[in-house]
Amino acid sequence: MKQKLQTFGRFLSGMVMPNISIFIAWGIITALFIPTGWCPNETLNALVSPMQRFLLPILIACSGGKMVYGDRGAIIGACAAAGVTARTETPMFIGAMIAGPLGGWCMKKVDAYIQPRTPQGFEMLFTNFSAGILGAVLAVLGCLAIEPVCLALNSALEAGVSFLVNHGLLWLTSVIVEPAKVLFLNNAINHGVFTPMGMNQVAETGKSIFFLIEANPGPGLGLLLAYCLFGKGSAKESAPGALIIEFLGGIHEIYFPYVLMNPVTIVGLILGGMTGVITNSLFHSGLVSAATPGSFLAILGMTARDSYVGVILSIFLAAGVSFGDNAVLLKAFGKETDVKAAQKEVAASKASSKGGMPVPAPVLSAAVSLPKLAFACGAGMGSSAMGAAALSKTLKAAGLDIPVEHSAISDLPRDVPFVVTHESLAQRARTQCPAARICPITSFMGGTEYERSFRS
């Protein structure tokens, strides 16, 4: 079930993540030029609506179609999304997430049927006309069928959200969000669920609280601060560096191993998340677009002009509550095992299951002879980029000049010989690259862990 949820969540976020830079561009334009922005401008404000109604949904659909069937899937998915966006003022992000993959899947099936039956010399004719006819059909289908369904879904979501907001219960979302983040569903929740809802809210009010429910770095910041003061061994030693990465880099995955090491700390994270949501609700504060990564600096860049007090307070109050609760929990229930001890236990268990013992460090340079390797995470951005950099340093220190690429699991080349990824994502990596050697790790920054993994 966990793997299925991760796969579905990865698919949703995979449609949004490649287009995050355009979301940021739209957010900057919105923050500057809308009537309540920093530099109100009637002419430039005209950019906001077309980008939100047409550009962003079509880009999402294009990415969804490409994930299913490459470039041909992308163009047909975009064509289908044009039909979905044609008749409504409501941003059709949900419709784009349906139309894009549907277009890619239909194009894949049509090609599978037509290509074996195409006469020699007519390949270009059949290829272009099959895609053109299918695109026209799906655009009409999107306009007449998908768009009404999505409007109904939007209405249902708005009713549910309005109920939570009107009854002061939006903070309950933290009970689901914080544990789901630790299961590496953070990108799926933020970009697959909250970003579409947030964009719809921005269209109405100019800002949205939904961009801050998952992205708020406060709960993770408080947890890592508690480890700095009350942790044990290498957990305490590594926490300050992780804290800086979480706060300024916005890489939430950096604190997940600390939660998994002492699962009771999830209580502090939930309470911290609730505090952040309540604070933003009381101050009616929000962002104008998604802040990715969820760093303090990125969040300030996307904060609505009238929301700085509420947003900043929501981060630091969430951090304070998370710190206070987790400090008590670590003192009362914290396990004796620290990060290094946990890593040694994992390595020993892995070696024992193979009937061997861990190999000494000098063997690393002799054991690795690869043309290249990949470091993969769910979205292919923050975690994998950070892990690839740490792994490159480990390899160079061992005298090895091996390229380390970072990638989303869904984008891994089938022929890659070696993949490093978090243990919770290992099965997805094996499914994507069945011929590759998969190296599961528990810490993105643990150089010694990389050494053991290569030797085992």
Side-chain angles (χ1 to χ4, degrees), residues 344-354:
K344 288 179 181 178
E345 185 177 339
V346 170
S349 299
K350 188 174 180 181
S352 175
S353 68
K354 294 185 177 183

Side-chain angles (χ1 to χ4, degrees), residues 87-108:
R87 293 194 307 159
T88 178
E89 297 290 327
T90 303
M92 283 282 100
F93 294 103
I94 295 177
M97 290 181 171
I98 296 172
L102 176 64
W105 182 83
C106 289
M107 190 73 259
K108 184 176 182 179

Side-chain angles (χ1 to χ4, degrees), residues 374-378 380 384 405-409 412 419-422 425 429 444:
F375 198 113
C377 69
S384 57
E405 302 173 355
H406 64 90
S407 168
I409 288 179
L412 283 170
V419 179
V420 182
T421 190
H422 192 273
L425 306 174
F444 289 113

Side-chain angles (χ1 to χ4, degrees), residues 91-166:
M92 283 282 100
F93 294 103
I94 295 177
M97 290 181 171
I98 296 172
L102 176 64
W105 182 83
C106 289
M107 190 73 259
K108 184 176 182 179
K109 294 300 180 182
V110 168
D111 279 355
Y113 179 80
I114 289 179
Q115 286 176 357
R117 297 168 175 81
T118 301
Q120 187 173 1
F122 289 83
E123 289 82 3
M124 183 174 291
L125 181 67
F126 276 57
T127 296
N128 287 336
F129 269 84
S130 63
I133 293 170
L134 178 63
V137 170
L138 290 179
V140 172
L141 179 67
C143 187
L144 298 180
I146 299 176
E147 184 259 356
V149 171
C150 291
L151 284 178
L153 287 174
N154 278 334
S155 298
L157 286 173
E158 288 174 4
V161 170
S162 296
F163 176 83
L164 292 176
V165 172
N166 294 336

Side-chain angles (χ1 to χ4, degrees), residues 106-357:
C106 289
M107 190 73 259
K108 184 176 182 179
K109 294 300 180 182
V110 168
D111 279 355
Y113 179 80
I114 289 179
Q115 286 176 357
R117 297 168 175 81
T118 301
Q120 187 173 1
F122 289 83
E123 289 82 3
M124 183 174 291
L125 181 67
F126 276 57
T127 296
N128 287 336
F129 269 84
S130 63
I133 293 170
L134 178 63
V137 170
L138 290 179
V140 172
L141 179 67
C143 187
L144 298 180
I146 299 176
E147 184 259 356
V149 171
C150 291
L151 284 178
L153 287 174
N154 278 334
S155 298
L157 286 173
E158 288 174 4
V161 170
S162 296
F163 176 83
L164 292 176
V165 172
N166 294 336
H167 291 79
L169 298 175
L170 192 61
W171 52 271
L172 284 175
T173 55
S174 297
V175 176
I176 299 173
V177 170
E178 295 303 330
K181 286 166 67 175
V182 180
L183 296 176
F184 288 85
L185 294 170
N186 50 316
N187 287 318
I189 292 171
N190 195 27
H191 302 303
V193 179
F194 288 138
T195 293
M197 293 172 65
M199 296 297 283
N200 287 335
Q201 192 174 43
V202 169
E204 298 176 2
T205 65
K207 59 186 175 182
S208 176
I209 190 176
F210 294 114
F211 296 127
L212 276 167
I213 293 178
E214 185 279 335
N216 191 334
L221 184 67
L223 170 71
L224 293 170
L225 185 59
Y227 266 102
C228 288
L229 299 179
F230 304 106
K232 300 178 177 69
S234 62
K236 183 173 183 176
E237 295 170 3
S238 60
L243 185 148
I244 294 172
I245 293 172
E246 162 70 1
F247 185 60
L248 298 180
I251 309 299
H252 297 329
E253 290 90 343
I254 194 70
Y255 74 79
F256 296 172
Y258 294 84
V259 183
L260 297 174
M261 186 170 55
N262 284 294
V264 69
T265 57
I266 196 67
V267 175
L269 289 172
I270 291 172
L271 294 174
M274 289 179 173
T275 301
V277 174
I278 291 171
T279 303
N280 282 312
S281 297
L282 292 175
F283 282 84
H284 302 287
S285 51
L287 307 186
V288 297
S289 186
T292 299
S295 73
F296 181 69
L297 299 178
I299 287 173
L300 290 183
M302 291 293 104
T303 299
R305 184 179 181 181
D306 60 351
S307 297
Y308 280 94
V309 172
V311 168
I312 293 173
L313 279 176
S314 75
I315 294 173
F316 287 104
L317 289 178
V321 170
S322 176
F323 166 73
D325 290 319
N326 283 315
V328 173
L329 292 171
L330 286 176
K331 291 287 285 184
F333 304 107
K335 296 180 181 179
E336 292 295 328
T337 4
D338 58 15
V339 172
K340 286 185 178 179
Q343 290 174 350
K344 288 179 181 178
E345 185 177 339
V346 170
S349 299
K350 188 174 180 181
S352 175
S353 68
K354 294 185 177 183
M357 294 297 292

